[in-house]
Amino acid sequence: MDMAPVVALGTLAALCPVFGLLIWLGRRGMPAGAPDVLVFQHSAWLRLFALCSAFGIPAGIAVLAFFHPPRNESDTWAMLFCFALFAGLSGPLLWEAYAFALVVSEDGLLCRSPWRGQWFIPWREVEEVYYAKQNSYFIIRNTRARKFRVPTMVPGLARFLERCERHLPWAALRNARPGYAQVKRPFPLPVGDEEVRSKWRPRDDARPDRRQGGREEDGYRGGRDDYAP
């Protein structure tokens, strides 16, 4: 009996639970949306593509091996290499597609990175939001220089920018201007440049460990009065 089809089906049977576990871990603890909470995740199309890559391609290799078994040991090793190759490519894609999330609330930003874990940034600790043209990312940087990257392919980012305009000064968004065009949202106009410069200061003094007179010094000006009416 040719063992190659058995090996192929066994490999497929081993990969499916692994990929299923990745999806479960990625979705576990995923926050739900609410009237005042926005949840940004990768699109359904990307998740579907990741699913097809993770399950469909190995299934296709297994079916091919079943109906057209490898002729020799070299072909069998080539088949196993294909399994490993596509598993190595589709596994990280599946994890990225299902584990990424950005949750925006009135209190701040909950950042769920598939690769760096989860952390919360209060609005007063958001140093700036800027756009990286090289990778098409919006990058959120806090006062401790920690960064969270949001790809522009994530749907609905115009609503994220609207929330940023509500909670952050104009100067914190000025380097995000190229990204506004990518998500088709008009860039907000500031008041006079001199007035903006006089109101804006580095938010290093917004760090919780900086205190004056026995209380936290809030160096963050959270108003929106540096936007043009």
Side-chain angles (χ1 to χ4, degrees), residues 152-165:
T152 52
M153 64 180 176
V154 173
L157 288 183
R159 293 183 298 159
F160 161 65
L161 294 175
E162 188 276 330
R163 287 293 183 94
C164 290
E165 294 164 21

Side-chain angles (χ1 to χ4, degrees), residues 19-95:
F19 289 145
L21 180 63
L22 280 179
I23 295 173
W24 179 78
L25 289 174
R27 303 300 296 172
R28 186 179 62 171
M30 185 68 69
D36 59 341
V37 176
L38 301 176
V39 180
F40 298 95
Q41 303 175 63
H42 284 298
S43 68
W45 287 109
L46 180 62
R47 295 198 295 271
L48 179 62
F49 177 76
L51 277 176
C52 292
S53 299
F55 293 97
I57 294 178
I61 296 173
V63 170
L64 183 64
F66 186 81
F67 289 102
H68 299 280
R71 298 177 182 178
N72 50 49
E73 184 178 352
S74 296
D75 289 348
T76 302
W77 281 110
M79 176 191 68
L80 292 175
F81 174 78
C82 289
F83 272 118
L85 175 64
F86 286 107
L89 293 174
S90 57
L93 176 62
L94 193 70
W95 180 241

Side-chain angles (χ1 to χ4, degrees), residues 123-127 143 169 199-208 210-212 215-223:
W123 284 113
R124 68 183 183 86
E125 293 185 10
V126 177
E127 180 71 28
T143 54
K199 292 178 179 179
W200 176 251
R201 63 176 182 266
R203 279 180 264 175
D204 288 342
D205 56 353
R207 296 179 179 177
R210 299 197 45 136
R211 297 174 180 268
Q212 265 190 354
R215 64 179 180 82
E216 275 192 13
E217 178 189 3
D218 186 7
Y220 170 67
R221 185 186 55 76

Side-chain angles (χ1 to χ4, degrees), residues 91-152:
L93 176 62
L94 193 70
W95 180 241
E96 170 70 28
Y98 280 88
F100 171 89
L102 172 64
V103 183
V104 182
S105 67
E106 293 300 313
D107 298 321
L109 306 170
L110 178 63
C111 305
R112 281 177 54 108
S113 169
W115 315 107
R116 301 176 62 194
Q118 174 176 301
W119 68 96
F120 181 76
I121 309 175
W123 284 113
R124 68 183 183 86
E125 293 185 10
V126 177
E127 180 71 28
E128 68 171 331
V129 177
Y130 63 96
Y131 182 71
K133 291 183 179 180
Q134 309 93 302
N135 301 312
S136 297
Y137 285 150
F138 285 102
I139 299 179
I140 304 163
R141 183 164 64 89
N142 70 2
T143 54
R144 295 170 177 82
R146 191 172 187 181
K147 299 177 182 179
F148 181 72
R149 293 167 174 81
V150 185
T152 52

